[in-house]
Amino acid sequence: IPQRLNSYNPYLSDEELLTIKELATILRVQYLKAYEMVVNDEIKGVYIGRWKIRKTEIARYFDSQESEQLYKWGMTEKELGRISNAINYFKEVTRIYPLHKDAHWQLAQIYLEMGKNDKIYQLWAMDRLKQILKFDPEDVGIHSKLKELEGLR
């Protein structure tokens, strides 16, 4: 059954859009806080006569919140020397939120430390650095680190 398309934007159906009031209910915050989150682009909304929010943006917001907590736990594990636990946390962060640059960077650093003389770890590190370049292609530091690693091959 085709969804009824929103008259303001033919690419958005009414079923996938929420109002700020509905957003406030889902997040369990006051209306004004939900409004500020949308206006400040913490959660992306579309203005079509009034603010509307895609359900996918709310899911993305929850994913980013969860990934930040997992990242903090990963950093704690790394600082405590529990590297395999840290790797698991950082991998989970990148699974939930693939654009999390710091988690990719931490994995690359761990792999480099583990594999000073092991090519497979160097390749894994390079893969993580290339992941960062997919969403931040101008990062000079990442380009430089990749060149350095490619010189070791």
Side-chain angles (χ1 to χ4, degrees):
I1 300 172
Q3 294 179 325
R4 184 170 63 87
L5 294 180
N6 187 290
S7 60
Y8 296 106
N9 186 333
Y11 300 106
L12 300 175
S13 69
D14 286 336
E15 288 81 16
E16 64 185 37
L17 294 173
L18 298 173
T19 65
I20 290 180
K21 184 177 180 181
E22 292 166 322
L23 174 66
T25 301
I26 291 169
L27 297 180
R28 296 185 178 136
V29 297
Q30 292 185 354
Y31 178 89
L32 184 58
K33 172 66 176 161
Y35 176 79
E36 288 172 353
M37 292 172 84
V38 173
V39 171
N40 295 328
D41 253 358
E42 197 172 331
I43 295 179
K44 296 201 182 306
V46 287
Y47 190 80
I48 43 180
R50 61 185 177 156
W51 282 105
K52 294 283 193 161
I53 301 95
R54 290 185 186 99
K55 291 179 184 178
T56 54
E57 291 299 328
I58 296 169
R60 185 173 291 128
Y61 171 78
F62 280 122
D63 286 349
S64 70
Q65 296 299 306
E66 180 182 1
S67 68
E68 281 307 310
Q69 183 59 50
L70 290 170
Y71 178 78
K72 288 176 186 174
W73 289 340
M75 289 302 294
T76 300
E77 292 295 315
K78 184 179 176 188
E79 289 167 8
L80 293 172
R82 297 189 288 237
I83 301 304
S84 65
N85 289 348
I87 289 172
N88 290 335
Y89 279 118
F90 294 138
K91 281 184 175 179
E92 184 64 10
V93 169
T94 61
R95 186 192 67 75
I96 292 171
Y97 196 66
L99 302 179
H100 200 292
K101 183 177 180 176
D102 293 334
H104 285 290
W105 176 254
Q106 289 300 325
L107 282 167
Q109 292 303 307
I110 289 170
Y111 292 149
L112 288 174
E113 288 173 22
M114 293 172 73
K116 291 187 189 305
N117 298 313
D118 192 338
K119 296 281 186 212
I120 192 70
Y121 286 108
Q122 291 172 3
L123 291 173
W124 288 349
M126 289 173 69
D127 180 59
R128 289 300 168 166
L129 295 173
K130 288 176 183 175
Q131 291 295 321
I132 294 172
L133 290 178
K134 285 182 181 178
F135 53 87
D136 191 3
E138 304 300 317
D139 191 316
V140 175
I142 299 298
H143 281 288
S144 142
K145 192 67 172 172
L146 273 172
K147 283 182 184 177
E148 175 187 327
L149 287 172
E150 287 170 354
L152 296 175
R153 290 173 58 191

